[in-house]
């Protein structure tokens, strides 16, 4: 089960990163007013976010929290904290302005939580990398 679950977590990390990067690029462009700043911020965080997301998935996989909509909500909240900090730091570094970093980070809190929850619910319906479903949620 370990090998299958690792493949699942890598697949989830990649699909989430695609969704998350598009959202970051668009928000960064809108807030900074510069499409190139948006692209730089979006692409700078691709690697750090995939690494953070993979470990977030591994921790939650081992966590003793039953499968449910509440679990998906808790995962959404914990991931958003990590993701927002990462985005704010990259936005600050790239824009050179800590206020821009804060604005982009706070703006994506809402969009990313909605998108992440939908991503989690979608992946819950996919059995890739699972021997069997633990329980119904």
């Amino acid at each position: 089960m370990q090998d299958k679950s690792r493949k699942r977590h890598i697949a989830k990390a990649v699909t989430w990163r695609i969704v998350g990067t598009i959202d970051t690029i668009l928000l960064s462009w809108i807030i900074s007013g510069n499409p190139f700043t948006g692209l730089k911020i979006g692409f700078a965080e691709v690697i750090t976010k995939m690494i953070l997301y993979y470990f977030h998935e591994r921790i939650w996989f081992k966590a003793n929290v039953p499968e449910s909509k509440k679990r998906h909500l808790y995962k959404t909240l914990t991931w958003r904290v990590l993701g927002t900090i990462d985005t704010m730091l990259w936005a600050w570094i790239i824009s050179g302005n800590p206020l821009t970093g804060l604005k982009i980070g706070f703006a994506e809190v809402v969009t990313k939580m909605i998108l992440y929850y939908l991503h989690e619910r979608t992946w819950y319906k996919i059995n890739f990398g699972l021997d069997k479903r633990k329980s119904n949620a």
Side-chain angles (χ1 to χ4, degrees):
M1 179 141 159
Q2 285 286 52
D3 289 335
K4 282 185 172 183
S5 70
R6 288 183 194 280
K7 288 177 187 175
R8 177 180 179 84
H9 299 151
I10 289 169
K12 282 181 74 174
V14 170
T15 58
W16 172 246
R17 195 63 261 136
I18 291 167
V19 171
T21 297
I22 291 168
D23 185 60
T24 298
I25 290 168
L26 292 174
L27 287 173
S28 299
W29 175 2
I30 290 165
I31 291 168
S32 72
N34 185 332
F36 296 110
T37 299
L39 286 169
K40 287 178 190 176
I41 293 167
F43 288 117
E45 66 176 28
V46 167
I47 300 299
T48 56
K49 285 281 188 358
M50 286 182 71
I51 292 167
L52 288 170
Y53 187 89
Y54 176 80
F55 286 111
H56 184 260
E57 279 296 303
R58 296 305 299 164
I59 290 166
W60 273 98
F61 181 72
K62 294 176 182 185
N64 191 19
V65 180
E67 288 291 333
S68 68
K69 288 183 181 180
K70 281 185 180 181
R71 176 188 171 95
H72 296 201
L73 182 60
Y74 297 150
K75 281 182 72 176
T76 299
L77 294 172
T78 58
W79 172 246
R80 194 62 262 136
V81 169
L82 288 172
T84 297
I85 291 168
D86 187 59
T87 298
M88 286 193 292
L89 290 173
W90 278 116
W92 177 1
I93 291 166
I94 291 167
S95 73
N97 184 339
L99 187 57
T100 299
L102 286 170
K103 286 179 184 178
I104 292 168
F106 287 126
E108 75 171 20
V109 165
V110 175
T111 59
K112 289 282 193 327
M113 284 180 65
I114 292 166
L115 292 170
Y116 183 86
Y117 182 82
L118 295 172
H119 183 262
E120 275 297 300
R121 295 302 299 160
T122 300
W123 268 96
Y124 179 75
K125 296 171 193 280
I126 299 170
N127 289 324
F128 176 77
L130 297 176
D131 290 332
K132 63 180 179 172
R133 182 71 54 200
K134 291 180 184 175
S135 67
N136 292 332

CSV table of all heavy atoms in Angstrom, one decimal, residues 17 23-34 36-46 48-49 80 82-109 112:
chain,number,residue,atom,x,y,z
A,17,ARG,N,-0.9,21.5,-7.8
A,17,ARG,CA,0.1,22.5,-8.2
A,17,ARG,C,-0.3,23.2,-9.5
A,17,ARG,O,-0.2,24.5,-9.6
A,17,ARG,CB,1.5,22.0,-8.3
A,17,ARG,CG,2.6,23.0,-8.3
A,17,ARG,CD,2.6,23.8,-7.0
A,17,ARG,NE,1.9,25.1,-7.1
A,17,ARG,CZ,1.1,25.6,-6.2
A,17,ARG,NH1,0.9,24.9,-5.0
A,17,ARG,NH2,0.5,26.7,-6.3
A,23,ASP,N,-3.9,29.9,-10.2
A,23,ASP,CA,-4.6,30.9,-9.3
A,23,ASP,C,-3.6,32.0,-8.8
A,23,ASP,O,-3.9,33.2,-8.8
A,23,ASP,CB,-5.2,30.2,-8.1
A,23,ASP,CG,-6.0,31.1,-7.2
A,23,ASP,OD1,-6.9,31.7,-7.7
A,23,ASP,OD2,-5.6,31.1,-6.0
A,24,THR,N,-2.4,31.5,-8.4
A,24,THR,CA,-1.4,32.5,-8.0
A,24,THR,C,-0.9,33.4,-9.0
A,24,THR,O,-0.8,34.6,-8.8
A,24,THR,CB,-0.1,31.7,-7.4
A,24,THR,OG1,-0.5,30.9,-6.3
A,24,THR,CG2,1.0,32.6,-7.0
A,25,ILE,N,-0.7,32.9,-10.2
A,25,ILE,CA,-0.3,33.8,-11.3
A,25,ILE,C,-1.4,34.9,-11.6
A,25,ILE,O,-1.1,36.1,-11.7
A,25,ILE,CB,-0.1,33.0,-12.6
A,25,ILE,CG1,1.2,32.2,-12.5
A,25,ILE,CG2,0.0,33.9,-13.9
A,25,ILE,CD1,1.4,31.1,-13.6
A,26,LEU,N,-2.6,34.5,-11.7
A,26,LEU,CA,-3.7,35.4,-11.9
A,26,LEU,C,-3.9,36.5,-10.8
A,26,LEU,O,-3.9,37.7,-11.1
A,26,LEU,CB,-5.0,34.7,-12.1
A,26,LEU,CG,-5.1,33.9,-13.4
A,26,LEU,CD1,-6.4,33.1,-13.5
A,26,LEU,CD2,-5.0,34.8,-14.7
A,27,LEU,N,-3.8,36.0,-9.5
A,27,LEU,CA,-4.0,36.9,-8.4
A,27,LEU,C,-2.8,37.9,-8.3
A,27,LEU,O,-2.9,39.1,-8.1
A,27,LEU,CB,-4.1,36.2,-7.1
A,27,LEU,CG,-5.5,35.5,-6.9
A,27,LEU,CD1,-5.4,34.7,-5.6
A,27,LEU,CD2,-6.6,36.5,-6.8
A,28,SER,N,-1.6,37.3,-8.6
A,28,SER,CA,-0.4,38.2,-8.5
A,28,SER,C,-0.3,39.2,-9.6
A,28,SER,O,0.1,40.4,-9.4
A,28,SER,CB,0.9,37.3,-8.6
A,28,SER,OG,0.9,36.4,-7.5
A,29,TRP,N,-0.8,38.8,-10.8
A,29,TRP,CA,-0.9,39.8,-11.9
A,29,TRP,C,-1.9,40.9,-11.6
A,29,TRP,O,-1.6,42.1,-11.7
A,29,TRP,CB,-1.3,39.0,-13.1
A,29,TRP,CG,-1.6,39.8,-14.4
A,29,TRP,CD1,-1.4,41.2,-14.5
A,29,TRP,CD2,-2.0,39.3,-15.6
A,29,TRP,NE1,-1.8,41.5,-15.8
A,29,TRP,CE2,-2.1,40.4,-16.5
A,29,TRP,CE3,-2.4,38.1,-16.1
A,29,TRP,CZ2,-2.6,40.3,-17.8
A,29,TRP,CZ3,-2.8,37.9,-17.4
A,29,TRP,CH2,-2.9,39.0,-18.2
A,30,ILE,N,-3.1,40.5,-11.1
A,30,ILE,CA,-4.1,41.5,-10.7
A,30,ILE,C,-3.6,42.5,-9.6
A,30,ILE,O,-3.7,43.7,-9.8
A,30,ILE,CB,-5.4,40.8,-10.3
A,30,ILE,CG1,-6.0,40.1,-11.5
A,30,ILE,CG2,-6.4,41.8,-9.7
A,30,ILE,CD1,-7.1,39.1,-11.2
A,31,ILE,N,-3.0,41.9,-8.6
A,31,ILE,CA,-2.6,42.8,-7.5
A,31,ILE,C,-1.4,43.6,-7.8
A,31,ILE,O,-1.3,44.8,-7.4
A,31,ILE,CB,-2.4,41.9,-6.2
A,31,ILE,CG1,-3.7,41.4,-5.7
A,31,ILE,CG2,-1.6,42.6,-5.1
A,31,ILE,CD1,-3.7,40.3,-4.7
A,32,SER,N,-0.4,43.0,-8.5
A,32,SER,CA,0.8,43.8,-8.8
A,32,SER,C,0.6,44.7,-10.0
A,32,SER,O,1.4,45.6,-10.2
A,32,SER,CB,2.0,42.8,-9.1
A,32,SER,OG,1.8,42.1,-10.3
A,33,GLY,N,-0.3,44.3,-10.8
A,33,GLY,CA,-0.5,45.1,-12.1
A,33,GLY,C,0.4,44.7,-13.2
A,33,GLY,O,0.4,45.3,-14.2
A,34,ASN,N,1.3,43.7,-12.9
A,34,ASN,CA,2.3,43.3,-13.9
A,34,ASN,C,2.2,41.8,-14.2
A,34,ASN,O,2.4,41.0,-13.3
A,34,ASN,CB,3.7,43.7,-13.3
A,34,ASN,CG,4.8,43.4,-14.3
A,34,ASN,OD1,4.7,42.6,-15.1
A,34,ASN,ND2,5.9,44.1,-14.1
A,36,PHE,N,4.2,39.9,-15.7
A,36,PHE,CA,5.5,39.2,-15.5
A,36,PHE,C,5.8,38.9,-14.0
A,36,PHE,O,6.3,37.9,-13.7
A,36,PHE,CB,6.6,40.0,-16.2
A,36,PHE,CG,6.5,40.1,-17.6
A,36,PHE,CD1,6.2,41.3,-18.2
A,36,PHE,CD2,6.6,38.9,-18.4
A,36,PHE,CE1,6.0,41.4,-19.6
A,36,PHE,CE2,6.4,39.0,-19.8
A,36,PHE,CZ,6.1,40.2,-20.4
A,37,THR,N,5.4,39.8,-13.2
A,37,THR,CA,5.5,39.6,-11.7
A,37,THR,C,4.6,38.4,-11.3
A,37,THR,O,5.0,37.6,-10.6
A,37,THR,CB,5.1,40.9,-10.9
A,37,THR,OG1,5.9,41.9,-11.3
A,37,THR,CG2,5.1,40.6,-9.4
A,38,GLY,N,3.4,38.4,-11.9
A,38,GLY,CA,2.5,37.2,-11.6
A,38,GLY,C,3.1,35.9,-12.1
A,38,GLY,O,3.1,34.9,-11.3
A,39,LEU,N,3.7,35.9,-13.3
A,39,LEU,CA,4.4,34.7,-13.8
A,39,LEU,C,5.6,34.3,-12.9
A,39,LEU,O,5.8,33.1,-12.6
A,39,LEU,CB,4.8,34.9,-15.2
A,39,LEU,CG,3.7,34.9,-16.3
A,39,LEU,CD1,4.2,35.3,-17.6
A,39,LEU,CD2,3.1,33.5,-16.4
A,40,LYS,N,6.4,35.3,-12.5
A,40,LYS,CA,7.6,35.0,-11.7
A,40,LYS,C,7.2,34.4,-10.4
A,40,LYS,O,7.8,33.4,-9.9
A,40,LYS,CB,8.4,36.3,-11.5
A,40,LYS,CG,9.2,36.7,-12.7
A,40,LYS,CD,9.9,38.1,-12.4
A,40,LYS,CE,10.5,38.7,-13.6
A,40,LYS,NZ,11.1,40.0,-13.3
A,41,ILE,N,6.2,35.0,-9.7
A,41,ILE,CA,5.7,34.5,-8.4
A,41,ILE,C,5.2,33.1,-8.6
A,41,ILE,O,5.5,32.2,-7.8
A,41,ILE,CB,4.7,35.5,-7.8
A,41,ILE,CG1,5.4,36.8,-7.4
A,41,ILE,CG2,4.1,34.8,-6.5
A,41,ILE,CD1,4.4,37.9,-7.0
A,42,GLY,N,4.3,32.9,-9.6
A,42,GLY,CA,3.7,31.6,-9.8
A,42,GLY,C,4.7,30.5,-10.0
A,42,GLY,O,4.6,29.4,-9.4
A,43,PHE,N,5.7,30.8,-10.9
A,43,PHE,CA,6.6,29.7,-11.2
A,43,PHE,C,7.7,29.6,-10.1
A,43,PHE,O,8.2,28.5,-10.0
A,43,PHE,CB,7.2,30.0,-12.6
A,43,PHE,CG,6.3,29.7,-13.7
A,43,PHE,CD1,5.9,30.7,-14.5
A,43,PHE,CD2,5.7,28.4,-13.9
A,43,PHE,CE1,4.9,30.5,-15.5
A,43,PHE,CE2,4.8,28.2,-14.9
A,43,PHE,CZ,4.4,29.2,-15.7
A,44,ALA,N,8.0,30.6,-9.4
A,44,ALA,CA,9.0,30.5,-8.3
A,44,ALA,C,8.6,29.5,-7.2
A,44,ALA,O,9.4,28.8,-6.7
A,44,ALA,CB,9.3,31.8,-7.7
A,45,GLU,N,7.3,29.5,-7.0
A,45,GLU,CA,6.8,28.7,-5.9
A,45,GLU,C,6.4,27.2,-6.3
A,45,GLU,O,6.0,26.4,-5.4
A,45,GLU,CB,5.6,29.3,-5.1
A,45,GLU,CG,4.4,29.5,-6.0
A,45,GLU,CD,3.2,30.0,-5.2
A,45,GLU,OE1,3.4,30.8,-4.2
A,45,GLU,OE2,2.1,29.7,-5.6
A,46,VAL,N,6.5,26.9,-7.5
A,46,VAL,CA,6.1,25.6,-8.0
A,46,VAL,C,6.9,24.5,-7.2
A,46,VAL,O,6.2,23.6,-6.7
A,46,VAL,CB,6.3,25.4,-9.5
A,46,VAL,CG1,6.3,23.9,-9.9
A,46,VAL,CG2,5.3,26.2,-10.3
A,48,THR,N,8.7,24.7,-4.3
A,48,THR,CA,8.6,24.7,-2.9
A,48,THR,C,7.2,24.2,-2.5
A,48,THR,O,7.0,23.4,-1.6
A,48,THR,CB,8.8,26.1,-2.3
A,48,THR,OG1,7.9,27.0,-2.9
A,48,THR,CG2,10.2,26.5,-2.4
A,49,LYS,N,6.2,24.5,-3.3
A,49,LYS,CA,4.8,24.1,-3.0
A,49,LYS,C,4.6,22.6,-3.2
A,49,LYS,O,3.9,22.0,-2.4
A,49,LYS,CB,3.8,24.9,-3.9
A,49,LYS,CG,3.5,26.3,-3.4
A,49,LYS,CD,2.6,26.4,-2.3
A,49,LYS,CE,2.1,27.7,-1.8
A,49,LYS,NZ,2.5,28.9,-2.4
A,80,ARG,N,-3.6,25.5,3.8
A,80,ARG,CA,-3.7,27.0,3.4
A,80,ARG,C,-2.7,27.8,4.2
A,80,ARG,O,-2.1,28.7,3.7
A,80,ARG,CB,-5.1,27.5,3.6
A,80,ARG,CG,-5.4,28.8,3.0
A,80,ARG,CD,-5.2,28.8,1.5
A,80,ARG,NE,-3.9,29.3,1.1
A,80,ARG,CZ,-3.2,28.7,0.1
A,80,ARG,NH1,-3.5,27.6,-0.5
A,80,ARG,NH2,-2.0,29.2,-0.2
A,82,LEU,N,0.3,26.8,5.4
A,82,LEU,CA,1.6,26.6,4.8
A,82,LEU,C,1.7,27.3,3.5
A,82,LEU,O,2.7,27.9,3.2
A,82,LEU,CB,1.8,25.1,4.6
A,82,LEU,CG,2.1,24.2,5.8
A,82,LEU,CD1,2.1,22.7,5.5
A,82,LEU,CD2,3.4,24.6,6.5
A,83,GLY,N,0.7,27.1,2.6
A,83,GLY,CA,0.7,27.7,1.3
A,83,GLY,C,0.8,29.2,1.3
A,83,GLY,O,1.5,29.8,0.5
A,84,THR,N,0.0,29.8,2.2
A,84,THR,CA,0.0,31.3,2.2
A,84,THR,C,1.3,31.8,2.7
A,84,THR,O,1.8,32.8,2.1
A,84,THR,CB,-1.2,31.7,3.2
A,84,THR,OG1,-2.4,31.3,2.6
A,84,THR,CG2,-1.2,33.2,3.3
A,85,ILE,N,1.9,31.2,3.7
A,85,ILE,CA,3.2,31.7,4.1
A,85,ILE,C,4.2,31.6,3.0
A,85,ILE,O,5.0,32.5,2.7
A,85,ILE,CB,3.7,30.9,5.3
A,85,ILE,CG1,2.8,31.2,6.5
A,85,ILE,CG2,5.2,31.1,5.6
A,85,ILE,CD1,3.0,30.3,7.7
A,86,ASP,N,4.2,30.5,2.2
A,86,ASP,CA,5.1,30.3,1.1
A,86,ASP,C,4.9,31.4,0.0
A,86,ASP,O,5.8,32.0,-0.5
A,86,ASP,CB,4.9,28.9,0.5
A,86,ASP,CG,6.0,28.6,-0.5
A,86,ASP,OD1,7.2,28.6,-0.3
A,86,ASP,OD2,5.5,28.3,-1.7
A,87,THR,N,3.6,31.6,-0.3
A,87,THR,CA,3.3,32.6,-1.3
A,87,THR,C,3.7,34.0,-0.9
A,87,THR,O,4.3,34.8,-1.7
A,87,THR,CB,1.8,32.6,-1.7
A,87,THR,OG1,1.4,31.3,-2.2
A,87,THR,CG2,1.4,33.7,-2.6
A,88,MET,N,3.4,34.4,0.4
A,88,MET,CA,3.7,35.7,0.8
A,88,MET,C,5.2,35.9,0.8
A,88,MET,O,5.7,37.0,0.4
A,88,MET,CB,3.2,35.9,2.2
A,88,MET,CG,1.7,36.1,2.3
A,88,MET,SD,1.1,36.7,3.9
A,88,MET,CE,1.3,35.4,4.9
A,89,LEU,N,6.0,34.9,1.1
A,89,LEU,CA,7.5,35.1,1.1
A,89,LEU,C,8.0,35.3,-0.3
A,89,LEU,O,8.8,36.2,-0.6
A,89,LEU,CB,8.2,33.9,1.8
A,89,LEU,CG,8.0,33.8,3.3
A,89,LEU,CD1,8.6,32.5,3.8
A,89,LEU,CD2,8.7,35.0,4.0
A,90,TRP,N,7.5,34.4,-1.3
A,90,TRP,CA,7.9,34.5,-2.7
A,90,TRP,C,7.5,35.9,-3.3
A,90,TRP,O,8.2,36.5,-4.0
A,90,TRP,CB,7.4,33.4,-3.5
A,90,TRP,CG,8.3,32.2,-3.4
A,90,TRP,CD1,7.9,30.9,-2.9
A,90,TRP,CD2,9.6,32.0,-3.8
A,90,TRP,NE1,8.9,30.1,-2.9
A,90,TRP,CE2,10.0,30.7,-3.5
A,90,TRP,CE3,10.5,32.9,-4.4
A,90,TRP,CZ2,11.3,30.2,-3.8
A,90,TRP,CZ3,11.8,32.4,-4.6
A,90,TRP,CH2,12.2,31.1,-4.3
A,91,ALA,N,6.2,36.3,-3.0
A,91,ALA,CA,5.7,37.6,-3.5
A,91,ALA,C,6.6,38.7,-3.0
A,91,ALA,O,6.9,39.7,-3.7
A,91,ALA,CB,4.3,37.7,-3.2
A,92,TRP,N,6.9,38.7,-1.7
A,92,TRP,CA,7.7,39.7,-1.1
A,92,TRP,C,9.1,39.8,-1.8
A,92,TRP,O,9.6,40.8,-2.2
A,92,TRP,CB,7.8,39.5,0.4
A,92,TRP,CG,8.7,40.5,1.1
A,92,TRP,CD1,9.4,41.6,0.6
A,92,TRP,CD2,9.0,40.4,2.5
A,92,TRP,NE1,10.1,42.2,1.6
A,92,TRP,CE2,9.8,41.5,2.8
A,92,TRP,CE3,8.6,39.6,3.5
A,92,TRP,CZ2,10.3,41.8,4.1
A,92,TRP,CZ3,9.1,39.8,4.8
A,92,TRP,CH2,9.9,40.9,5.1
A,93,ILE,N,9.7,38.6,-1.9
A,93,ILE,CA,11.1,38.5,-2.5
A,93,ILE,C,11.1,39.0,-3.9
A,93,ILE,O,11.9,39.8,-4.4
A,93,ILE,CB,11.6,37.1,-2.4
A,93,ILE,CG1,11.9,36.7,-1.0
A,93,ILE,CG2,12.8,36.9,-3.3
A,93,ILE,CD1,12.1,35.2,-0.7
A,94,ILE,N,10.1,38.6,-4.7
A,94,ILE,CA,10.1,38.9,-6.2
A,94,ILE,C,9.6,40.3,-6.4
A,94,ILE,O,10.2,41.0,-7.2
A,94,ILE,CB,9.2,37.9,-6.9
A,94,ILE,CG1,9.9,36.5,-6.9
A,94,ILE,CG2,8.9,38.4,-8.3
A,94,ILE,CD1,9.1,35.4,-7.4
A,95,SER,N,8.6,40.8,-5.7
A,95,SER,CA,8.2,42.2,-5.9
A,95,SER,C,9.0,43.2,-5.2
A,95,SER,O,9.0,44.4,-5.5
A,95,SER,CB,6.7,42.3,-5.4
A,95,SER,OG,6.7,42.3,-4.0
A,96,GLY,N,9.7,42.7,-4.1
A,96,GLY,CA,10.5,43.6,-3.3
A,96,GLY,C,9.7,44.4,-2.3
A,96,GLY,O,10.2,45.3,-1.7
A,97,ASN,N,8.4,44.1,-2.2
A,97,ASN,CA,7.5,44.9,-1.4
A,97,ASN,C,6.8,43.9,-0.5
A,97,ASN,O,6.0,43.1,-0.9
A,97,ASN,CB,6.5,45.6,-2.3
A,97,ASN,CG,5.6,46.5,-1.5
A,97,ASN,OD1,5.4,46.4,-0.3
A,97,ASN,ND2,5.0,47.5,-2.2
A,98,PRO,N,7.0,44.1,0.8
A,98,PRO,CA,6.3,43.2,1.8
A,98,PRO,C,4.8,43.3,1.7
A,98,PRO,O,4.0,42.4,1.9
A,98,PRO,CB,6.9,43.5,3.1
A,98,PRO,CG,7.5,44.9,3.0
A,98,PRO,CD,7.9,45.0,1.5
A,99,LEU,N,4.3,44.5,1.4
A,99,LEU,CA,2.8,44.8,1.4
A,99,LEU,C,2.2,44.0,0.2
A,99,LEU,O,1.1,43.4,0.3
A,99,LEU,CB,2.5,46.3,1.3
A,99,LEU,CG,1.1,46.7,1.3
A,99,LEU,CD1,0.4,46.2,2.6
A,99,LEU,CD2,0.9,48.2,1.2
A,100,THR,N,2.9,44.0,-0.9
A,100,THR,CA,2.5,43.2,-2.1
A,100,THR,C,2.4,41.7,-1.7
A,100,THR,O,1.4,41.0,-2.0
A,100,THR,CB,3.4,43.4,-3.3
A,100,THR,OG1,3.4,44.7,-3.7
A,100,THR,CG2,2.9,42.5,-4.5
A,101,GLY,N,3.4,41.2,-1.0
A,101,GLY,CA,3.4,39.8,-0.5
A,101,GLY,C,2.2,39.6,0.4
A,101,GLY,O,1.5,38.5,0.2
A,102,LEU,N,1.9,40.5,1.3
A,102,LEU,CA,0.7,40.3,2.2
A,102,LEU,C,-0.6,40.3,1.4
A,102,LEU,O,-1.5,39.5,1.6
A,102,LEU,CB,0.7,41.4,3.3
A,102,LEU,CG,1.7,41.2,4.4
A,102,LEU,CD1,1.8,42.5,5.2
A,102,LEU,CD2,1.4,40.0,5.2
A,103,LYS,N,-0.7,41.3,0.5
A,103,LYS,CA,-2.0,41.4,-0.3
A,103,LYS,C,-2.2,40.1,-1.1
A,103,LYS,O,-3.3,39.6,-1.2
A,103,LYS,CB,-1.9,42.6,-1.3
A,103,LYS,CG,-2.0,43.9,-0.6
A,103,LYS,CD,-1.9,45.0,-1.6
A,103,LYS,CE,-2.0,46.4,-1.0
A,103,LYS,NZ,-1.8,47.5,-2.0
A,104,ILE,N,-1.2,39.6,-1.8
A,104,ILE,CA,-1.3,38.4,-2.6
A,104,ILE,C,-1.6,37.2,-1.7
A,104,ILE,O,-2.5,36.4,-2.0
A,104,ILE,CB,-0.1,38.2,-3.4
A,104,ILE,CG1,0.1,39.2,-4.5
A,104,ILE,CG2,-0.1,36.8,-4.1
A,104,ILE,CD1,1.4,39.3,-5.2
A,105,GLY,N,-0.9,37.1,-0.6
A,105,GLY,CA,-1.2,36.0,0.4
A,105,GLY,C,-2.6,36.0,0.9
A,105,GLY,O,-3.3,35.0,0.9
A,106,PHE,N,-3.1,37.2,1.3
A,106,PHE,CA,-4.5,37.2,1.9
A,106,PHE,C,-5.5,37.0,0.8
A,106,PHE,O,-6.6,36.5,1.0
A,106,PHE,CB,-4.7,38.6,2.6
A,106,PHE,CG,-4.0,38.6,4.0
A,106,PHE,CD1,-3.1,39.6,4.3
A,106,PHE,CD2,-4.2,37.6,4.9
A,106,PHE,CE1,-2.4,39.6,5.5
A,106,PHE,CE2,-3.5,37.6,6.1
A,106,PHE,CZ,-2.6,38.6,6.4
A,107,ALA,N,-5.3,37.5,-0.4
A,107,ALA,CA,-6.2,37.4,-1.5
A,107,ALA,C,-6.4,35.9,-1.8
A,107,ALA,O,-7.5,35.4,-2.1
A,107,ALA,CB,-5.8,38.1,-2.7
A,108,GLU,N,-5.3,35.2,-1.8
A,108,GLU,CA,-5.4,33.8,-2.2
A,108,GLU,C,-6.0,32.9,-1.1
A,108,GLU,O,-6.3,31.7,-1.4
A,108,GLU,CB,-4.2,33.2,-2.9
A,108,GLU,CG,-3.0,32.9,-1.9
A,108,GLU,CD,-1.9,32.2,-2.6
A,108,GLU,OE1,-1.8,32.2,-3.9
A,108,GLU,OE2,-1.1,31.6,-1.9
A,109,VAL,N,-6.1,33.3,0.1
A,109,VAL,CA,-6.6,32.5,1.2
A,109,VAL,C,-8.0,32.0,0.8
A,109,VAL,O,-8.3,30.9,0.9
A,109,VAL,CB,-6.6,33.3,2.5
A,109,VAL,CG1,-7.5,32.6,3.5
A,109,VAL,CG2,-5.2,33.4,3.1
A,112,LYS,N,-7.9,29.9,-2.8
A,112,LYS,CA,-7.3,28.7,-2.6
A,112,LYS,C,-8.0,27.7,-1.7
A,112,LYS,O,-8.0,26.5,-1.9
A,112,LYS,CB,-5.8,28.9,-2.1
A,112,LYS,CG,-4.9,29.5,-3.1
A,112,LYS,CD,-4.4,28.5,-4.1
A,112,LYS,CE,-3.2,28.9,-4.9
A,112,LYS,NZ,-3.0,30.3,-5.3
